Amino acid sequence: MVITIKDENNRFGVRVSGIIYNKDKTKIFMQRQGNHDFYMFPGGRIELHEDSCSAIKRELKEELNIEEEVKLVFIGESFIEFPNLKYHEISFFYELTIDEKKYNYFDDEYDSLDINEGKSKYRWIELKKFDNYKINPEIMKQKLRENSSGLEHFIYKEY
């Protein structure tokens, strides 16, 4: 059971995300769900009684067959407004680096490996062009530019 609470116009969720860099840290691997016009960091919902580190490792394995060490770098509280929905999310962002050759993820678009999830596409975005893309949460553009060295907490509000 995932940690999500919903009613007609509101949603609360607890999520893990992977900030996945390529080997030379010039690109970042991003996810686009369904018909959304924005990209997000690959990951998913934390299940009840699951810690965030186990959750990101599970999600990366299920969706992308990635098995690497991860490091917690951000904890975020986001209040995001979508049409007809206010979304409050607690997020744990883990950083990792992958070798594109090891996983056969090069400069193309990839489908999720999780047959239950199926609507997501993944692709590399060059860091020097990262600001040209719509990212959710938008504050992550700034956070990645700042390149802090320790664990950081942020609050991002759209409403």
Side-chain angles (χ1 to χ4, degrees):
M1 174 190 323
V2 295
I3 302 173
T4 300
I5 301 169
K6 300 184 229 182
D7 71 14
E8 193 172 309
N9 296 68
N10 300 284
R11 182 175 175 172
F12 170 79
V14 183
R15 186 173 199 282
V16 290
S17 298
I19 301 171
I20 305 172
Y21 292 101
N22 67 334
K23 195 173 181 180
D24 61 3
K25 290 200 170 188
T26 58
K27 295 184 262 182
I28 194 160
F29 208 51
M30 298 297 291
Q31 174 182 8
R32 187 175 52 81
Q33 288 183 327
N35 295 325
H36 290 301
D37 66 344
F38 61 85
Y39 285 89
M40 55 198 281
F41 296 89
R45 307 269 163 245
I46 296 177
E47 295 181 2
L48 195 59
H49 307 294
E50 181 180 42
D51 65 84
S52 64
C53 187
S54 297
I56 190 61
K57 288 180 177 183
R58 174 184 51 77
E59 288 287 349
L60 293 174
K61 175 70 175 157
E62 288 174 358
E63 295 178 10
L64 296 163
N65 200 31
I66 291 175
E67 294 182 276
E68 298 292 336
E69 289 303 311
V70 297
K71 177 185 174 191
L72 182 62
V73 291
F74 298 106
I75 298 173
E77 300 177 59
S78 298
F79 300 83
I80 299 171
E81 193 158 19
F82 294 104
N84 305 315
L85 178 71
K86 287 186 176 178
Y87 187 47
H88 176 189
E89 181 175 84
I90 307 295
S91 301
F92 298 86
F93 292 86
Y94 285 85
E95 183 179 289
L96 63 148
T97 302
I98 67 168
D99 182 344
E100 300 100 315
K101 293 177 186 173
K102 178 179 177 182
Y103 292 102
N104 290 321
Y105 291 136
F106 296 100
D107 289 322
D108 202 352
E109 190 171 71
Y110 304 92
D111 294 325
S112 174
L113 299 177
D114 184 350
I115 59 170
N116 296 318
E117 198 240 337
K119 295 181 181 178
S120 284
K121 301 279 188 186
Y122 299 86
R123 65 171 298 193
W124 289 108
I125 294 176
E126 290 183 51
L127 282 175
K128 64 183 177 185
K129 296 180 182 177
F130 198 62
D131 282 339
N132 298 337
Y133 290 85
K134 187 172 179 184
I135 305 295
N136 194 347
E138 189 71 20
I139 193 172
M140 289 304 292
K141 289 179 181 179
Q142 172 191 337
K143 294 299 175 190
L144 293 180
R145 274 193 307 273
E146 291 171 359
N147 200 17
S148 67
S149 58
L151 178 61
E152 184 181 338
H153 169 255
F154 67 82
I155 297 172
Y156 173 71
K157 292 187 175 186
E158 291 183 358
Y159 62 88

